[in-house]
Amino acid sequence: MDGWNSMIRYYKNNFSDGFRQDSIDLFLGNFALDESDGASPLRVERDWKFLTLPIIMLVAFSMCIISLLTSGDTWTETLPYAMFWGAAGSITAAVILFSGQDFVDAPRLVHKEKMD
């Protein structure tokens, strides 16, 4: 149970808590607002990788497991399908790890310098 909680906390910290930190910064006044900037720092355009790659990886690993569970008469029939879907899932996971910063939900607001 402790490992599960740690895994959930890791996911939330890296992939879904950035907007919460931004909210806290706005509430506490830790954001230096510059009116000359027209664009909002909170609006970030996500490209196609953000949604597409995790779905491809999930489908590929699911198809690999399904091809292993619904085996043919011999392993020579099953192995190419399992290897193809396993390779597709592994390559997609490698691309996700390589471009990992695109998937992290980091806080976007700039902190004011502390005045002593």
Side-chain angles (χ1 to χ4, degrees), residues 2 8 10-11 15-16 21 29-30 37 55-56 58 82 88-89 101 103 113 115-116:
D2 192 37
I8 294 297
Y10 177 80
Y11 172 81
F15 302 112
S16 63
Q21 183 62 45
N30 292 335
D37 291 340
I55 291 173
I56 291 173
L58 180 67
Q101 290 297 321
F103 293 93
E113 295 294 325
M115 305 281 290
D116 290 329

Side-chain angles (χ1 to χ4, degrees), residues 59-108:
V59 168
F61 282 131
S62 299
M63 289 300 293
C64 181
I65 291 170
I66 289 171
S67 67
L68 288 172
L69 292 177
T70 59
S71 61
D73 293 337
T74 63
W75 274 99
T76 56
E77 293 176 3
T78 305
L79 192 60
Y81 294 115
M83 286 178 56
F84 171 77
W85 289 113
S90 299
I91 290 170
T92 307
V95 169
I96 289 173
L97 287 174
F98 179 73
S99 60
Q101 290 297 321
D102 295 338
F103 293 93
V104 174
D105 184 25
R108 293 179 182 90

Side-chain angles (χ1 to χ4, degrees), residues 19-33 109-114:
F19 74 94
R20 287 186 179 97
Q21 183 62 45
D22 291 335
S23 301
I24 292 170
D25 288 340
L26 283 174
F27 182 73
L28 294 177
N30 292 335
F31 176 63
L33 182 62
L109 300 180
V110 178
H111 296 282
K112 286 195 288 189
E113 295 294 325
K114 299 287 183 184

